[in-house]
Every structure is written in structure tokens, then in C-alpha cells.
Amino acid sequence: MWERARAALLGSLSMGSARLWVRIRAFWHRNGLLTLSMLSVATGCLLGFLLRALELTELEKQYFSFPGELLMRMLKMLILPLITSSLMSGLATMEPRACGKMGVITITYYLWTTFMAVTIGIILVVSIHPGVAAQKEDYSAGKVVLSSADALLDLIRNMFPSNLVEASFQQYRTVIVPVVKSPRFPTIPGKSLSFIYFAPDEENPEIHRPVFLELTPSPEMTYRTLPGTSNEMNVLGIVIFSATIGLLLGKMGERGAPLVNVCQCLNEAVMKIVSMAVWYFPFGIVFLIAGKILEMEDPSVTGQKLGLYAITVVSGLAIHGLVLLPLLFILITKKNPYAFIKGILQALLIALATSSSSATLPITLKCLLENNGIDRRVARFVLPVGATINMDGTALYEAVAAIFIAQVNEYDLDLGQIVTISITATAASIGAAGIPQSGLVTMVIVLTSVGLPTADITLIIAVDWALDRFRTMTNVLGDALAAGIIQHVCEKDFAPKPPKQDTASDTDKFPSAEPPLLHPKDNVIQLLEDTLFEQMGVHYNICQV
């Protein structure tokens, strides 16, 4: 009797353990990578604060951050082929009418949500008034910055790159060069001459800063603008070129089909690379976050000066990303937005670690296609465009920072100036590159629009590296929710249409390998792994015009 009870107990335990093991395996299969990424973020934060006590040298910090640097380089490597192949193949396989409708709706939605983000930021910064708690330093960096006109012209120039190869690793950037109008030296005997030296700037060696020695009176300084470049990918120019080529390929019909097939194959190959590389991300995230924590200044001092400002920005991003955008998603799609957000948590964690919406683009595309079931034609268009012009978090950040700097300088902004800030922050965020801390560059446009001192940007640099990660998460979240909304609005335009019956055609009986990717009007039928391949080992592509 005891042996039977013991055997029954052991059998039930073994069955329970087997069921538990099956559940664990199923959970790991669905959420294993996401779980590792969340643990890696927590581990990176803990490791970074623990290692601060060791006071590592700059060289040791560089060596420690090397695995995180590999993660950033790996993601940036995939940006160019992914953007070009996605836009070209996505727009080429769509009807011109549906493509135009989707483009207008997408850009309108992006501009509207960006303006909403700016409005939230302005309301919070005016209500909380974080500039009272901050204290301005007695000195300023005196850094010469571009005017808003030059920054706007640079944005327009980058939309039309003169060299596509150069646009893949450089973008146009106006450089300011100081020019000294020296007075004539006195010829009185016994008087020593004064000298002016030009020392290279620490951040940008191409710009030389004047150093005055025994010069009375001081000379007149002017600044001349010269054409220059910065070592950043010109994503805006590549997006516009790729979208134009995609639209023209769609109108070319069968003549453009070979290039469309190449773009589709390239896109699939890049996504397979992403699927293999994602297992390195948890390891790289640990060192990427820990390395940034090692480089930051004393958190206690920074928190006393800019803590209220950081709380204002994070609160605005949370309200916009977790309340308003999901509410807009519910009103349009009548679906649960938080179930949708759950499917892109992996992309949000990568955005938190890399602080780059462009580098997160491959992961966002993978999450939308695999977890949320977004139509690949919608994702291939909405995500690259969103990573370029949809910067909700950056726009909110720039509006809050501009009014914060005005509060620190005790400037009273009237309603007209606040409206000007909202408009310029919306426009400037479109030109912000999807790279870390790009908002500091376009913030010059916002500050100069209302006459605020641009040198005071240095006040917020201490916390910009951390806030940049949260606003990048908001940008990526806005892009993903936009893809879900655009698919719902344009669902009828992308519904599969029945093929035309043509008895004279013998190739209608062959199935298409990827029906949604090639439009029926082009009459292009692609056969992959057909019966001829099984019998003869030869791969045929049969196309009918």
C-alpha cells in the first residue's frame, strides 16, 4: 500500500515537473530574449554604479565599454541596407493611389503627434517652473553656434545630397571660422606688440578659438561660414532618394521588377542578420549602459541642480508615450494599445541602451512583423520615415529646455514667444538626426527664434545623456504605434485582390511566392522552389509580362 502511494506520488510529481518544464520552455521561447534584455539593463545600471567607486582611468573605461561599442557598430551597419531596401521594395509594390494616401496620412499623423508632445512639454515646464531650482554658473563656454538660418539651410541641403556614397557616412554641416580684423600696430619705439593665437577647439579640432595676449584695445572679431561635413550618416537624404526610386520603380512595371526583387531579397537577408545578432544584444547592453554611467559626473551634484528639470522632461515623455499615444491608438483602431506595446518591448529596451532611433530600426521592424503582425509594406514605409522625421520625444525635450533656459536667465516669455517655441520645436525636431544627443544641435533653432542665449545649452549637457535615452524610447514607441494606426486606416487599400482570370495564360496556375509584395497590375509572377527545382535541382524564376 505504501509502495503504491509512493509510486502514485512520484508519478504525479514527475508529471507536474514535466508540465512545468514545458511551460518554462514555452515561456522562454516566446519571451527569453526580452527577459535577458531586461536583466541586462538592470545589471548594467548596477555594475556601472558599483564600478564608480574604483575610479577607473579613461583608458580603462574605454576598454570596459568595448562590448557595448560593438553593439552600436553592429546596429549602425544595418541602417543603410535596411532603409534603402525597405523603402524601395515597399513603395514599388504598392499602388500609386494607396501609396499617396498612406504617405499623406503618415506625415500628417507624425506632425500632429509631435505638436501634441510640444504642447505637453510647454504646459509642464510652465506649471512646474524647474528653472527656479537651477543655478547658472558664473562663466559660460562661449562656444560659437550656428544661426537658425544656417541650421535650416543645412537641413534643406541634406535633403538633396550631392553624392550618395558620401551621404552614407557624412552629412553637410556649415562650419564657423573666426576672422580677426586687427588694427594697425603702433610704430612708437619701446612699445611691445601684442599677439593673437588660435588654438584648436577641444571638441572640434577644425574650429580654432582665439587666444588674446596683451592686446589693447581688443580687435574686432567676425565669423565666416564655410562648407563642411560631419561624420554622421545623412539619413534624411537617403530616405528621400530611396522613396523616390521606389515610387518610380512601381510605375516602371515589369522593367523595374528585377530591381524590386533584389531589394526584397536584400531586405530579407538583413532581417535574417538581425535575427542572429539579437542574441548578442543582452551582453552588449550591460557594458553599454555601465560605460555611460562610468562617464557621467557626480550624480548628487547634478541632481541638486537639474533634478527638477529632469523630472519635468521624464514626466512629459511618460504622459505622451503612455497616455496620449495609446489613447489615440484606442480611438482610431478600437484595440488594446498595451498589448501592442508589449510586442515591441525588445525594441524599446534597445532604444534605451543605444539612444539612437536609427540604430533601433532593425529591431523595431522585426518586432512589428513577428510579434504584432503588421503588414510588411506598411512597416517598410512608416518606420524608416518615422525614424527620420517623427521625433516626439526630441520636440518635447527641446521645448522644455528652451523655456527652462529662459527661466534660469529670468526671462519672461509672452504668449507669442511660447507659440513660436512650439512651432520651431516641431519643425526643428524633423531635422534632428536619429543619433545620440542630436537634439542639442537642432535646439539652436529653437533658442534663437525667441532670442535666448545659445551658450546656455551647456547648462543641460550634464543630464542630456540620460534624458536622451528616454526620449529615444518615446520616438520609437511613436513610430511603432503609427505603424499599427496606418495599417488600420489603410486596411482596405492593402486587402488582397482576386487575380484577373486569363485563360490564355498558362502561368496563372503557378502560385506566387510572396503575393503581397508584387502588385497584380504588373503581372509579375515569381516562382520559388517549384517542381522543376525538386526534380532537376535548378532554380527557375518565371516572369510573365
Side-chain angles (χ1 to χ4, degrees), residues 220-231:
E220 181 182 355
M221 294 290 300
T222 60
Y223 294 92
R224 184 174 58 181
T225 59
L226 295 177
T229 57
S230 61
N231 295 325

Side-chain angles (χ1 to χ4, degrees), residues 46-118:
L46 181 62
L47 185 62
F49 283 108
L50 290 178
L51 291 179
R52 285 181 64 89
L54 299 180
E55 297 182 357
L56 301 178
T57 63
E58 293 297 328
L59 186 60
E60 291 172 342
K61 293 178 183 178
Q62 182 179 356
Y63 290 156
F64 179 80
S65 304
F66 179 72
E69 180 186 353
L70 286 183
L71 172 61
M72 288 294 298
R73 298 176 70 90
M74 194 181 304
L75 290 171
K76 290 181 179 179
M77 174 187 67
L78 302 174
I79 295 175
L80 180 62
L82 186 62
I83 289 178
T84 53
S85 62
S86 297
L87 285 175
M88 288 184 184
S89 62
L91 295 179
T93 54
M94 293 168 54
E95 289 185 359
R97 182 178 179 180
C99 181
K101 177 182 177 181
M102 185 176 68
V104 171
I105 294 176
T106 302
I107 295 176
T108 304
Y109 173 82
Y110 282 156
L111 292 177
W112 174 248
T113 55
T114 303
F115 187 75
M116 285 172 53
V118 171

Side-chain angles (χ1 to χ4, degrees), residues 97-162:
R97 182 178 179 180
C99 181
K101 177 182 177 181
M102 185 176 68
V104 171
I105 294 176
T106 302
I107 295 176
T108 304
Y109 173 82
Y110 282 156
L111 292 177
W112 174 248
T113 55
T114 303
F115 187 75
M116 285 172 53
V118 171
T119 304
I120 295 169
I122 292 176
I123 293 175
L124 287 179
V125 72
V126 172
S127 303
I128 300 176
H129 213 77
V132 177
Q135 295 180 355
K136 188 176 180 180
E137 301 290 343
D138 295 334
Y139 64 90
S140 61
K143 184 178 179 180
V144 181
V145 295
L146 287 176
S147 64
S148 58
D150 290 329
L152 180 61
L153 291 178
D154 285 353
L155 173 63
I156 299 175
R157 292 188 184 103
N158 286 323
M159 293 172 64
F160 306 98
S162 59

Side-chain angles (χ1 to χ4, degrees), residues 289-509:
I289 294 181
K292 286 297 180 180
I293 292 177
L294 289 175
E295 294 175 1
M296 74 176 186
E297 300 177 1
D298 189 2
S300 60
V301 177
T302 305
Q304 292 177 358
K305 294 181 179 179
L306 301 172
L308 196 56
Y309 164 74
I311 292 174
T312 305
V313 175
V314 173
S315 300
L317 295 176
I319 293 174
H320 181 72
L322 299 179
V323 178
L324 289 184
L325 289 181
L327 182 61
L328 197 60
F329 187 88
I330 293 176
L331 294 177
I332 296 177
T333 65
K334 305 297 188 298
K335 298 178 182 178
N336 184 7
Y338 298 103
F340 189 92
I341 295 174
K342 181 182 177 182
I344 60 168
L345 283 179
Q346 176 70 28
L348 296 180
L349 289 175
I350 297 295
L352 177 65
T354 61
S355 184
S356 172
S357 55
S358 296
T360 315
L361 182 60
I363 311 301
T364 311
L365 184 60
K366 180 177 181 296
C367 291
L368 289 181
L369 294 179
E370 297 181 0
N371 300 337
N372 294 338
I374 299 297
D375 190 295
R376 63 179 61 209
R377 292 170 294 178
V378 176
R380 285 174 177 177
F381 174 78
V382 174
L383 289 183
V385 174
T388 307
I389 68 173
N390 185 36
M391 302 290 177
D392 295 352
T394 303
L396 185 148
Y397 173 80
E398 290 177 350
V400 173
I403 299 179
F404 170 78
I405 290 175
Q407 292 173 354
V408 172
N409 289 277
E410 297 182 354
Y411 289 168
D412 292 330
L413 300 176
D414 55 19
L415 181 60
Q417 290 174 317
I418 292 178
V419 172
T420 302
I421 289 176
S422 64
I423 296 174
T424 54
T426 303
S429 65
I430 298 176
I435 57 174
Q437 297 182 335
S438 61
L440 292 177
V441 180
T442 56
M443 194 181 296
V444 176
I445 302 176
V446 183
L447 293 178
T448 55
S449 65
V450 290
L452 294 174
T454 55
D456 286 348
I457 293 178
T458 54
L459 295 173
I460 58 177
I461 287 181
V463 295
D464 182 73
W465 71 272
L467 297 179
D468 190 27
R469 280 155 168 72
F470 292 103
R471 66 176 185 256
T472 303
M473 291 179 65
T474 306
N475 295 338
V476 173
L477 177 61
D479 297 343
L481 291 176
I485 291 176
I486 299 303
Q487 171 164 309
H488 178 79
V489 174
C490 303
E491 186 176 3
K492 295 181 179 180
D493 297 324
F494 296 114
K497 299 179 180 180
K500 295 181 180 180
Q501 298 295 331
D502 189 3
T503 56
S505 176
D506 295 334
T507 57
D508 287 345
K509 60 184 179 180

Side-chain angles (χ1 to χ4, degrees), residues 500-533:
K500 295 181 180 180
Q501 298 295 331
D502 189 3
T503 56
S505 176
D506 295 334
T507 57
D508 287 345
K509 60 184 179 180
F510 293 108
S512 176
E514 194 175 6
L517 298 183
L518 295 176
H519 192 262
K521 71 171 187 175
D522 295 336
N523 292 325
V524 179
I525 300 177
Q526 183 182 8
L527 298 182
L528 298 176
E529 298 179 359
D530 52 352
T531 55
L532 295 176
F533 175 76

